[in-house]
């Protein structure tokens, strides 16, 4: 099935009926289910423990251990005594957090807006904004059934609910059977749920129980001021969020791409060639949509959804705005060559999505038999392809810097960045293309102390100056007084790499830093760029330096 959404955000703001819809998935034993799925030798009952306040306590239990009376927070020794055949593993929280993040991202194949709800538990709660999306699955009930079925087939214990608010969907998924709650039935369904369904703190739940308030329907009619005084504003906030009186915002894990094209496969694919062929088809669809809107993009993202709840993401960038399908496909083709052995389709890829971001207006271009592409555009596309294949930092360009000190007037930046700069208005003084890493000391003979150079000695070789022009005086940058000139930012070199070059130039001095530059040519036609640093005095002649060469 192919599904394309050109303006997804607008659809998700309004939806088919003008109201938002949320789907919450509740996975009560996700950590243990995940470990069982990846380690066939683990059999239930299974619990995970970690050190909490100086003792070993249960941090996760599977469904079988829960039926045997074990619960999170219980002492590990007591749990072993209650269930002698218990399988125990120490919880690796960083590993599980990374795995759960991948698990959450995989659900973006159902909706681009997916968030992990960590306010109650670190693992186990996912919320999807399905406004304007459910029709792709035949409706909300088939969509909910599909998501629950595929997770159960993977071995996960899961429940789910769809409701107009996040709070209502969370409460129903945890304390009622999996169902779809319509807006007209929201109050009736919520009133029957226990106060636990409001995601309250344990102390708040205990206080409400002491007052005899066990259901949300008993709590809702009570005076709000006494409730706020005793339980805090968070109680009323959760209550209003559940009933939709105030909005509860979700924070999607992946940024929303308003323009994308996707393709689902009846039979999973695995070869990279098949992935790139699909990418080309999606790039054509995406290019047609961008052209119709008069837009172009610079950042393109390819999401590969595997059947084993993992998602791989490839991202490429373009120096110029583009919607050319051939160019987009070549960028991903070159990017795939850098994956080497990292590409793993697992048990297959059942959906591919191509999204575009950094979108701006791009005018149409007239093409015909006598038209031709600009040289600058071809060069930018070449840089794009090389950057995709070799890496962003492997293809560099010179970028001008607002400084009149020659070694500070330019720097190397990624070609993708440099191509976007505006070079208009920059002065173009006479400068050599080749500069020495550091100006080298030379001996100069002049006819008069401050006259043009007549001869030069550099690296023990003597050069007779036939022609000379200058001087061009460059003063020190007084606003940087007390700083040192540096060609690169000092960084700790990696093992086996040479340390970065840092010129050992003196600190800036408004007088001593003044340079008088000359362009000189010797009898063989070689042209040099030399300068005298400082002003001439009889007692202390200023030093001369060779800084660069002209072609």
């Amino acid at each position: 099935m192919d599904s394309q959404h050109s303006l997804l955000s607008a659809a998700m703001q309004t939806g088919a009926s003008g109201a938002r819809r949320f789907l919450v998935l509740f996975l009560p034993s996700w950590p243990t289910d995940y470990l069982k799925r990846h380690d066939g030798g683990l059999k239930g009952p299974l619990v995970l423990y970690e050190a909490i306040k100086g003792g070993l306590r249960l941090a996760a239990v599977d469904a079988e251990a829960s039926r045997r009376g074990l619960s999170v927070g219980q002492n590990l020794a007591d749990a072993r005594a209650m269930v002698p055949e218990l399988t125990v593993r120490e919880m690796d929280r960083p590993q599980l957090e990374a795995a759960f993040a991948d698990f959450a991202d995989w659900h973006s194949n159902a909706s681009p807006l997916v968030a992990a709800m960590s306010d109650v538990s670190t693992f186990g709660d996912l919320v999807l904004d399905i406004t304007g999306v459910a029709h792709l699955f035949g409706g909300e009930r088939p969509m909910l059934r599909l998501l629950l079925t595929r997770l159960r087939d993977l071995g996960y214990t899961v429940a789910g609910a769809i409701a107009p608010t996040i709070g209502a969907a969370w409460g129903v998924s945890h304390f009622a059977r999996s169902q779809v709650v319509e807006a007209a039935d929201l109050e009736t369904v919520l009133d029957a749920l226990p106060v636990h369904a409001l995601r309250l703190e344990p102390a708040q739940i205990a206080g409400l129980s002491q007052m005899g308030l066990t259901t949300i329907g008993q709590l809702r009619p009570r005076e709000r001021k006494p409730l706020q005084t005793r339980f805090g504003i968070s109680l009323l906030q959760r209550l209003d969020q559940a009933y939709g009186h105030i909005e509860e915002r979700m924070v999607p894990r992946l940024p929303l791409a308003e323009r994308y094209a996707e393709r689902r496969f009846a039979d999973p694919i695995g070869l990279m060639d098949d992935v790139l062929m699909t990418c080309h088809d999606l790039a054509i669809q995406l290019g047609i949509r961008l052209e119709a809107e008069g837009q172009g993009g610079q950042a393109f993202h390819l999401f590969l959804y595997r059947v084993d709840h993992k998602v791989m993401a490839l991202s490429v960038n373009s120096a110029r705005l583009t919607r050319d399908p051939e160019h987009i496909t070549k960028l991903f083709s070159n990017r795939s060559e850098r994956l080497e052995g990292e590409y793993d389709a697992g048990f297959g890829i059942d959906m591919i999505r191509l999204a575009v971001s950094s979108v701006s207006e791009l005018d149409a271009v007239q093409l015909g038999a006598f038209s031709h592409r600009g040289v600058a555009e071809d060069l930018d596309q070449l840089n794009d392809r090389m950057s995709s294949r070799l890496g962003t930092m492997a293809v560099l360009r010179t970028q001008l810097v607002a400084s009149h000190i020659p070694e500070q007037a330019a720097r190397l930046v990624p070609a993708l960045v440099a191509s976007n700069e505006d070079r208009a208005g920059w002065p173009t003084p006479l400068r050599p293309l080749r500069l020495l890493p550091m100006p080298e000391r030379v001996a100069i003979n002049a006819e008069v102390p401050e006259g043009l150079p007549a001869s030069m000695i550099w690296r023990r070789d003597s050069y007779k100056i036939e022609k000379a022009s200058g001087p061009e005086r460059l003063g020190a940058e007084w606003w940087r007084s007390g700083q040192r000139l540096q060609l690169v930012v000092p960084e700790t070199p990696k093992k086996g790499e040479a340390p970065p070059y840092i010129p050992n130039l003196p600190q800036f001095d408004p007088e001593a830093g003044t340079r008088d530059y000359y362009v000189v040519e010797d009898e063989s036609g070689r042209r040099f760029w030399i300068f005298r640093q400082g002003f001439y005095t009889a007692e202390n002649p200023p030093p001369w330096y060779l800084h660069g060469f002209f072609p």
Side-chain angles (χ1 to χ4, degrees):
M1 177 180 65
D2 291 339
S3 57
Q4 306 167 4
H5 314 282
S6 58
L7 291 174
L8 180 62
S9 60
M12 303 194 80
Q13 290 174 1
T14 58
S17 60
R20 302 186 72 85
R21 303 290 288 175
F22 298 94
L23 187 155
V24 170
L25 295 173
F26 172 45
L27 298 104
S29 54
W30 183 88
T32 53
D33 291 343
Y34 171 79
L35 293 179
K36 283 183 178 181
R37 174 173 170 77
H38 289 79
D39 187 353
L42 290 177
K43 304 297 181 181
L46 172 66
V47 299
L48 306 179
Y49 73 90
E50 61 183 353
I52 301 177
K53 296 181 180 179
L56 300 181
R57 297 186 178 275
L58 303 187
V61 298
D62 68 355
E64 184 177 349
S66 181
R67 288 192 296 267
R68 303 281 289 271
L70 304 185
S71 60
V72 175
Q74 191 173 0
N75 187 280
L76 178 60
D78 296 340
R80 288 182 182 273
M82 293 175 59
V83 185
E85 67 274 19
L86 189 65
T87 302
V88 178
R89 292 290 186 273
E90 184 177 3
M91 173 176 277
D92 187 347
R93 188 168 290 272
Q95 176 198 4
L96 290 176
E97 289 177 350
F100 190 70
D102 293 338
F103 181 79
D105 293 342
W106 178 64
H107 282 82
S108 62
N109 60 6
S111 171
L113 296 177
V114 181
M117 302 179 65
S118 57
D119 49 356
V120 177
S121 61
T122 306
F123 316 109
D125 292 318
L126 294 178
V127 57
L128 288 72
D129 189 336
I130 62 170
T131 311
V133 175
H135 71 280
L136 300 174
F137 300 86
E140 292 183 349
R141 285 177 174 82
M143 181 180 185
L144 178 60
R145 190 181 309 115
L146 173 64
L147 267 61
L148 295 179
T149 301
R150 69 180 186 180
L151 288 176
R152 288 165 182 164
D153 291 343
L154 291 173
Y156 292 100
T157 303
V158 60
I162 297 177
T165 65
I166 297 176
W170 188 93
V172 172
S173 65
H174 281 65
F175 298 95
R177 62 182 178 85
S178 299
Q179 59 181 298
V180 176
V181 180
E182 303 296 342
D185 303 327
L186 180 63
E187 293 186 0
T188 303
V189 174
L190 283 179
D191 287 347
L193 296 180
V195 292
H196 299 67
L198 292 177
R199 291 176 290 162
L200 302 178
E201 298 292 335
Q204 293 174 320
I205 296 175
L208 292 173
S209 299
Q210 292 176 359
M211 295 175 60
L213 303 175
T214 58
T215 66
I216 300 177
Q218 295 173 334
L219 173 64
R220 190 158 63 103
R222 300 296 291 256
E223 291 290 336
R224 297 173 66 91
K225 192 67 174 179
L227 290 176
Q228 179 179 345
T229 302
R230 180 167 180 178
F231 299 103
I233 190 64
S234 61
L235 172 64
L236 301 180
Q237 183 181 18
R238 289 300 191 192
L239 190 64
D240 291 338
Q241 287 175 344
Y243 284 91
H245 300 315
I246 61 176
E247 182 182 7
E248 181 179 2
R249 296 182 179 272
M250 58 181 291
V251 182
R253 281 192 43 81
L254 298 177
L256 174 63
E258 298 182 359
R259 298 165 179 83
Y260 67 85
E262 64 184 29
R263 173 168 296 174
R264 302 174 187 270
F265 304 98
D267 295 320
I269 64 174
L271 298 178
M272 178 57 73
D273 291 341
D274 295 335
V275 171
L276 294 177
M277 290 175 60
T278 305
C279 175
H280 182 260
D281 294 341
L282 297 178
I284 294 176
Q285 299 172 19
L286 196 60
I288 293 174
R289 184 176 311 121
L290 291 173
E291 183 178 8
E293 299 174 5
Q295 303 287 326
Q298 285 188 276
F300 298 88
H301 316 279
L302 191 66
F303 299 98
L304 311 179
Y305 294 89
R306 292 170 26 174
V307 297
D308 55 349
H309 69 267
K310 291 185 180 296
V311 56
M312 295 179 290
L314 299 178
S315 297
V316 296
N317 293 284
S318 172
R320 292 174 178 244
L321 290 171
T322 184
R323 52 176 177 253
D324 181 5
E326 299 296 334
H327 181 51
I328 297 172
T329 305
K330 287 181 180 178
L331 293 181
F332 281 108
S333 176
N334 293 331
R335 176 68 178 86
S336 66
E337 294 181 6
R338 294 177 54 204
L339 295 178
E340 297 178 354
E342 299 178 11
Y343 172 74
D344 180 13
F347 295 101
I349 298 169
D350 60 358
M351 196 188 91
I352 295 179
R353 174 180 295 157
L354 176 62
V356 58
S357 58
S358 300
V359 178
S360 299
E361 183 177 353
L362 179 62
D363 295 332
V365 179
Q366 180 70 34
L367 295 178
F370 301 100
S371 63
H372 64 279
R373 299 163 59 92
V375 176
E377 182 179 356
D378 290 338
L379 182 59
D380 284 338
Q381 291 196 2
L382 174 62
N383 290 331
D384 291 345
R385 294 193 294 270
M386 290 192 299
S387 298
S388 298
R389 175 174 296 180
L390 305 176
T392 303
M393 297 304 298
V395 184
L396 306 177
R397 266 188 183 176
T398 301
Q399 184 184 59
L400 299 179
V401 179
S403 174
H404 61 261
I405 303 298
E407 59 267 28
Q408 291 286 338
R411 62 182 176 185
L412 293 177
V413 298
L416 298 179
V417 177
S419 62
N420 293 325
E421 70 172 349
D422 184 10
R423 299 177 181 269
W426 282 92
T428 56
L430 183 61
R431 293 284 188 271
L433 296 178
R434 297 171 55 198
L435 292 180
L436 291 170
M438 184 194 310
E440 296 187 13
R441 187 73 176 267
V442 295
I444 293 291
N445 294 322
E447 297 178 355
V448 295
E450 296 191 27
L452 295 175
S455 64
M456 175 182 72
I457 299 177
W458 173 53
R459 295 183 180 179
R460 299 182 180 180
D461 290 333
S462 179
Y463 301 86
K464 182 179 180 181
I465 305 302
E466 296 288 343
K467 300 178 182 178
S469 63
E472 175 191 0
R473 176 160 293 179
L474 299 181
E477 295 178 340
W478 54 268
W479 58 91
R480 299 183 185 179
S481 180
Q483 298 182 2
R484 294 185 181 275
L485 286 173
Q486 293 184 359
L487 295 182
V488 295
V489 177
E491 295 181 354
T492 303
K494 298 180 180 179
K495 186 177 180 180
E497 294 184 355
Y501 166 73
I502 302 177
N504 188 25
L505 296 179
Q507 292 188 350
F508 287 114
D509 188 316
E511 293 186 359
T514 300
R515 306 179 187 180
D516 288 334
Y517 277 89
Y518 295 84
V519 179
V520 299
E521 182 178 329
D522 69 355
E523 54 187 353
S524 300
R526 290 169 294 193
R527 302 172 68 210
F528 306 93
W529 202 40
I530 62 176
F531 69 89
R532 179 179 60 217
Q533 186 168 16
F535 297 109
Y536 178 82
T537 58
E539 297 79 9
N540 188 16
W544 286 80
Y545 295 91
L546 173 63
H547 203 165
F549 310 89
F550 289 93

